[in-house]
Amino acid sequence: MSAPNLHADRDLDLSNSGRGVWLVKVPKYISNRWEKAPGNIEVGKLKISKATGQKAQVSLSLSESVLCLKEPGEQNIPKDHRLDVSMVTKQTLGVFSHYCPTNNPDAIVPESEKLCLEGKIVQKLECRPYADNCYMKLKLESIRKASVPSRQLKQLDKVVTNFKPVSDHKHNIEYEEKKKAEGKKARDDKEVVLEMIFAAFEKHQYYNIKDLVTKTRQPVVYLKEILKEVCNYNLKNPHKNMWELKPEYRHYKEPEQPSNSSEPS
């Protein structure tokens, strides 16, 4: 069970905090069968026997319904198991449950999430099979599967095509199209380009090269040659990597000064 989100704001139900709980570890083949079992069948029986003056003996017997839940070719699993019991004294372990209600639009009072402490773990139990023929066959099969290499060499008697070759890749096609589009940009006369540059700087004081290329429709290399003659390139903040006109080419309008003269009354 995944750990609940203890950082969320909700109450913790401690009504079962004094209850003792067993922590049982079962073999993987049992847990796999229990996961396949529907919720309405008996999966096994637990038997506890204790003779006078002796330690309690705990055993687990799987039901026939669980033993039949196997895939074709899958090995049988042992039915009877013993459980080795050990007390938990140096650890504080608990079992929590997290209940998430389903959204029912017809409910008068909506249910809320519940976080409960189901009890404190007082004993650990290790489920172990008896060394009978069934378990030995199961163990032998698991060793055989583990020894099979994940990669094997196989000789092919015909050509196998795992992929369909393409004449060119998508990113290469896009690059070539972009390159052709750049090449189609005709170089206008220098005076025409300067007029477009000055017209652009009448609206804004700073531009990056991408915006100037968009406005002038000129090749980047050609445009930069012209920009170097009439513009400065900023290398420092706050207008880093931006172009602005050199002082001698700036002709920004001066802000209008408010008139001091008053209208005659």
Side-chain angles (χ1 to χ4, degrees):
M1 183 182 73
S2 59
N5 184 6
L6 299 179
H7 298 288
D9 294 333
R10 62 173 65 92
D11 295 331
L12 176 62
D13 185 357
L14 299 175
S15 57
N16 294 324
S17 60
R19 182 170 60 180
V21 182
W22 287 2
L23 177 62
V24 183
K25 182 180 179 181
V26 299
K28 188 174 181 179
Y29 60 81
I30 293 183
S31 64
N32 291 339
R33 292 293 177 92
W34 281 353
E35 288 179 357
K36 297 177 185 178
N40 57 350
I41 69 169
E42 179 185 283
V43 296
K45 290 183 179 181
L46 194 66
K47 182 180 178 181
I48 304 175
S49 59
K50 182 178 181 182
T52 305
Q54 295 183 3
K55 190 177 180 180
Q57 302 294 323
V58 186
S59 62
L60 172 66
S61 180
L62 300 179
S63 66
E64 293 296 334
S65 301
V66 170
L67 295 176
C68 295
L69 295 173
K70 66 175 185 176
E71 302 295 333
E74 188 177 1
Q75 292 287 331
N76 294 326
I77 63 174
K79 179 179 180 180
D80 298 319
H81 300 74
R82 73 177 190 276
L83 283 85
D84 297 336
V85 183
S86 61
M87 301 298 294
V88 179
T89 57
K90 296 183 179 180
Q91 286 181 297
T92 302
L93 303 175
V95 177
F96 294 87
S97 64
H98 185 204
Y99 170 71
C100 294
T102 57
N103 295 327
N104 185 6
D106 299 330
I108 299 175
V109 179
E111 294 182 283
S112 59
E113 294 186 35
K114 295 180 181 179
L115 184 62
C116 303
L117 176 61
E118 298 296 342
K120 178 183 176 182
I121 295 176
V122 294
Q123 291 188 121
K124 290 184 178 181
L125 291 88
E126 188 86 14
C127 184
R128 301 181 184 276
Y130 295 102
D132 54 7
N133 290 334
C134 182
Y135 174 72
M136 291 303 177
K137 290 180 180 179
L138 181 67
K139 193 66 177 178
L140 182 63
E141 180 64 16
S142 64
I143 295 174
R144 186 193 65 81
K145 289 182 178 179
S147 63
V148 176
S150 57
R151 296 182 179 182
Q152 296 181 348
L153 182 65
K154 184 178 180 181
Q155 184 177 358
L156 302 177
D157 54 359
K158 59 181 179 180
V159 178
V160 178
T161 304
N162 293 326
F163 63 93
K164 184 178 180 181
V166 294
S167 58
D168 204 350
H169 293 284
K170 181 180 178 181
H171 62 275
N172 290 335
I173 297 174
E174 293 176 351
Y175 174 77
E176 291 297 330
E177 291 178 352
K178 182 179 179 181
K179 188 175 180 181
K180 290 179 181 179
E182 291 285 341
K184 290 180 181 178
K185 292 179 182 178
R187 291 190 177 190
D188 293 329
D189 291 338
K190 182 177 180 180
E191 296 299 326
V192 176
V193 177
L194 284 172
E195 290 181 3
M196 290 188 289
I197 292 174
F198 290 142
F201 278 103
E202 286 181 359
K203 299 179 181 179
H204 299 286
Q205 186 176 355
Y206 302 96
Y207 282 96
N208 58 37
I209 190 63
K210 183 179 179 181
D211 293 334
L212 290 173
V213 169
T214 303
K215 289 182 175 293
T216 61
R217 299 293 300 170
Q218 298 298 305
V220 176
V221 177
Y222 177 59
L223 180 61
K224 284 185 176 181
E225 292 177 358
I226 300 176
L227 287 173
K228 289 178 181 178
E229 296 181 10
V230 297
C231 294
N232 290 327
Y233 185 70
N234 292 294
L235 298 175
K236 297 181 179 180
N237 289 325
H239 303 290
K240 188 177 181 180
N241 302 329
M242 304 283 281
W243 293 87
E244 67 171 329
L245 287 175
K246 292 181 178 180
E248 59 266 30
Y249 295 105
R250 299 174 189 170
H251 302 288
Y252 302 118
K253 293 182 179 180
E254 296 292 336
E256 295 183 0
Q257 298 294 333
S259 177
N260 295 327
S261 61
S262 59
E263 295 294 333
S265 58

